[in-house]
Amino acid sequence: MDKELIRIVRLSIRPDKVGDFLDNFETVKQQIRNSPGNRLLELYRDLDQPSVFFTYSHWDGPESLEAYRNSALFSEVWAFTKTLFADKPMAWSTERLVRLG
């Protein structure tokens, strides 16, 4: 198994579409979390910009993330979500170097 991949995605949602975004996330979050290779899924909201969100997910490795990105579920979620964007999304694939608990 490859090293764990941590994916961070910044989503800027049109203010009038925040409710639609949150409703859809509530509907699909468990399906995303149950995708093969997904270890963790979290959603954050920026305190200063309440229409900016971050998804934070842990994957078994790049292959697991790529399999999800090629799935019908991702296609459906992304097709809906991108209609809500106020700005281009940004995404990072990262690895943990240090964790203090």
Side-chain angles (χ1 to χ4, degrees):
M1 176 169 51
D2 287 343
K3 190 181 297 187
E4 181 180 50
L5 181 149
I6 300 168
R7 183 76 167 177
I8 304 165
V9 180
R10 180 188 186 274
L11 305 166
S12 180
I13 304 297
R14 293 195 321 264
D16 63 320
K17 296 297 182 181
V18 166
D20 294 339
F21 171 75
L22 291 172
D23 288 346
N24 189 62
F25 190 84
E26 183 65 27
T27 300
V28 300
K29 67 183 182 185
Q30 201 59 53
Q31 295 171 67
I32 297 169
R33 175 59 188 90
N34 291 335
S35 295
N38 181 271
R39 300 180 185 185
L40 175 81
L41 176 65
E42 295 179 321
L43 178 66
Y44 299 98
R45 185 195 309 241
D46 188 290
L47 289 175
D48 296 321
Q49 301 173 79
S51 61
V52 173
F53 297 87
F54 297 85
T55 59
Y56 179 79
S57 56
H58 289 209
W59 299 87
D60 285 343
E63 297 81 10
S64 296
L65 175 60
E66 195 59 29
Y68 167 66
R69 293 184 71 214
N70 289 317
S71 71
L73 173 60
F74 178 83
S75 294
E76 292 171 23
V77 170
W78 197 247
F80 176 77
T81 304
K82 69 183 182 181
T83 67
L84 311 176
F85 290 154
D87 200 359
K88 184 178 176 183
M90 293 187 277
W92 301 267
S93 292
T94 69
E95 65 178 328
R96 179 183 299 127
L97 296 180
V98 176
R99 180 178 186 164
L100 302 175

